[in-house]
Amino acid sequence: MKLLHTADWHLGAKLGRHDRMEDHQAALRALLDVAASERPDLIVHAGDLFDAYRPPYPALRLGVTALQRLAKIAPTVVISGNHDSGALFDVLDDMAGMASPRRLWFVTTPRVLEFDGLAEVPVALACVPFIPPGAITDYATGDASRFEGDYADGIRKLNDHVIGGAREAVGPHGIVLYMAHLHVDGARPGNSERRFTVGEDHATHTKGLHRALYCAFGHIHDPQQLPGSARGRYAGSLIPLDYGESCRSKHAVVVAIGADVQVGERELPPGRPLESFKGTFHELEAKAANGALDGCFLKAVVKSDDPIPDLADRVAEWSPQCAIFNLVNDVANRPVKAISGAEDGEETSVEDLFIEWRSTAATAKAKKAPQEAVLALFREAVAGSGDEEGPDFGWTELTMRAEGVLAALREGSGGHRTGRSTHDQVPTAIGAEHD
């Protein structure tokens, strides 16, 4: 059988104020051409279909249309990434399920999909969408109170469960495939991923994944082979999403499974070039003259002794179709105090920024280092940042207690009194909720 693997489309993404629809459309046309020429038996999208929980309508339409066209070529499965809305995916999955025969699936929770007729033997796809650290205990074991370990341990237990289920479904001679939207420890992140979801708290490993013939991963935007012994790849993002990816090629992955497993790449157009410039005004003029930067995004630092008025207008005269992402005039005669940052260009952690704010920039009453309890709540909030619902912080339990008290009060004030006072009834209602 043949598999087409793609991921991280991030439809609806912008570069500054500039929409990337044109670049996405060109890349998707090329991806559809690859699918049409390769004629895969199964197409998998490993998460982050959209760039936000509530994608703009044009991005939503583009994504659904592209997936429908892919599904006409082969059964297509999409798992939710950390940028995707589980609620939206559930709606799309309900709509896709109305087709007969069904050709498109949107997966929001870990599960196994079985396929007949794709190959000479049965095929099962084990799917693991993005799971925030705060939710891993719900999936790792049947009883969250008995789970012990970190995020990587929970993902390993989950992987053992879904791959074991896939193997059981197809038997000893069937084909087991695995797809996930996760950060594997040892993978090489690009410079555009959010540190919230590719940091150490979200790192997993590939132990146990060797039982799948191929592992299709999304989440890391830099295309690469999986670290460790598991056979698989990160497909990478569909287009360079920002200047951190400007030098990376983009492609789709084609996997042929027969006597052995052969993995190949099909290059995709990178979209409009992301041009960086640092130099003098005259050097920029020479670079941009006669429309040389038309159809490009430009990030430039222009050095001069004195301020250059209307610098953006001058660039527009030289290259009218150039999209200016960032244009800075570095003036020697107007020194500006540099903002202190992390050493060696390393991004300051969110926790360190929070501590600095509490210690220096907060209001007078709050201007002190946060207590450990406050930091613990902050870490919990950050850990659940990829979850659409976010951390609960005990709100559900408090609501249920309040509802129990109100129910008891209503019973006490109604027409069916039992002879007990309201004060007798309230503790009973609260205690019953704990049982």
Side-chain angles (χ1 to χ4, degrees):
M1 68 167 292
K2 186 180 288 186
L3 176 76
L4 178 63
H5 169 202
T6 183
D8 292 280
W9 291 3
H10 285 271
L11 301 178
K14 291 187 175 182
L15 186 62
R17 61 184 176 86
H18 300 287
D19 193 273
R20 304 299 303 280
M21 178 68 75
E22 176 184 332
D23 304 306
H24 276 124
Q25 288 173 332
L28 287 174
R29 280 194 295 267
L31 179 64
L32 286 165
D33 289 341
V34 170
S37 62
E38 294 290 341
R39 305 306 300 181
D41 301 293
L42 180 65
I43 300 172
V44 295
H45 186 302
D48 278 355
L49 175 64
F50 301 112
D51 193 60
Y53 286 154
R54 297 174 181 173
Y57 289 131
L60 178 60
R61 182 177 184 180
L62 177 62
V64 171
T65 301
L67 290 172
Q68 287 176 330
R69 292 180 178 177
L70 288 173
K72 289 181 179 179
I73 298 172
T76 301
V77 182
V78 189
I79 60 173
S80 57
N82 54 298
H83 284 254
D84 296 316
S85 164
L88 174 60
F89 266 43
D90 287 340
V91 172
L92 295 176
D93 189 62
D94 288 342
M95 296 177 66
M98 297 178 184
S100 181
R102 181 166 187 167
R103 304 277 290 180
L104 180 59
W105 289 261
F106 294 84
V107 179
T108 59
T109 57
R111 58 181 295 196
V112 175
L113 295 177
E114 301 176 41
F115 299 93
D116 293 323
L118 299 187
E120 296 179 355
V121 295
V123 177
L125 176 63
C127 303
V128 178
F130 178 78
I131 299 175
I136 188 56
T137 55
D138 297 330
Y139 295 104
T141 62
D143 184 359
S145 64
R146 298 176 59 186
F147 174 71
E148 295 181 1
D150 57 14
Y151 183 73
D153 295 326
I155 293 294
R156 180 181 58 79
K157 290 180 181 293
L158 174 58
N159 287 341
D160 288 342
H161 176 70
V162 294
I163 293 179
R167 174 54 62 193
E168 183 178 350
V170 299
H173 303 296
I175 295 175
V176 172
L177 304 171
Y178 174 86
M179 176 166 58
H181 192 88
L182 296 170
H183 172 213
V184 174
D185 187 32
R188 180 181 66 254
N191 295 322
S192 60
E193 290 93 338
R194 295 180 181 178
R195 296 297 178 89
F196 288 149
T197 52
V198 295
E200 292 182 0
D201 290 342
H202 290 73
T204 64
H205 44 67
T206 58
K207 185 177 180 180
L209 298 186
H210 64 279
R211 292 183 292 167
L213 285 181
Y214 179 78
C215 299
F217 268 73
H219 195 35
I220 300 297
H221 294 174
D222 190 1
Q224 60 194 279
Q225 184 175 340
L226 284 178
S229 60
R231 181 187 289 108
R233 289 188 64 84
Y234 281 102
S237 51
L238 184 67
I239 63 172
L241 292 170
D242 61 24
Y243 279 84
E245 302 180 40
S246 59
C247 298
R248 302 294 183 188
S249 61
K250 300 301 177 181
H251 58 251
V253 181
V254 177
V255 183
I257 301 174
D260 59 358
V261 179
Q262 298 180 352
V263 181
E265 301 172 357
R266 305 294 183 268
E267 190 170 352
L268 300 176
R272 288 167 286 180
L274 306 181
E275 290 285 345
S276 296
F277 171 84
K278 189 173 185 178
T280 66
F281 175 80
H282 294 295
E283 289 171 338
L284 178 61
E285 181 180 12
K287 186 177 182 67
N290 300 317
L293 292 181
D294 281 345
C296 298
F297 290 101
L298 176 64
K299 181 175 72 171
V301 177
V302 182
K303 295 180 176 293
S304 63
D305 293 333
D306 298 301
I308 303 174
D310 303 324
L311 181 56
D313 293 336
R314 305 293 290 275
V315 174
E317 292 175 4
W318 304 326
S319 293
Q321 301 304 317
C322 176
I324 298 177
F325 167 64
N326 193 24
L327 186 59
V328 177
N329 186 191
D330 185 1
V331 181
N333 294 334
R334 190 181 60 188
V336 178
K337 182 180 179 181
I339 299 175
S340 60
E343 297 181 0
D344 301 327
E346 182 178 350
E347 184 178 335
T348 305
S349 70
V350 176
E351 183 174 327
D352 289 340
L353 290 173
F354 175 68
I355 294 174
E356 180 182 356
W357 173 79
R358 282 293 302 267
S359 303
T360 61
T363 59
K365 291 184 179 180
K367 193 177 293 185
K368 61 181 180 179
Q371 298 177 355
E372 185 58 35
V374 176
L375 278 178
L377 288 172
F378 181 77
R379 294 189 192 103
E380 183 180 351
V382 170
S385 62
D387 188 356
E388 194 172 357
E389 299 297 332
D392 184 80
F393 295 119
W395 177 253
T396 300
E397 181 181 358
L398 181 61
T399 302
M400 293 178 66
R401 283 172 174 264
E403 290 176 351
V405 171
L406 289 173
L409 289 172
R410 293 189 189 101
E411 181 182 349
S413 60
H416 300 285
R417 294 182 181 270
T418 60
R420 292 179 296 173
S421 68
T422 301
H423 294 287
D424 294 330
Q425 294 171 349
V426 171
T428 304
I430 296 176
E433 188 167 335
H434 282 285
D435 291 339

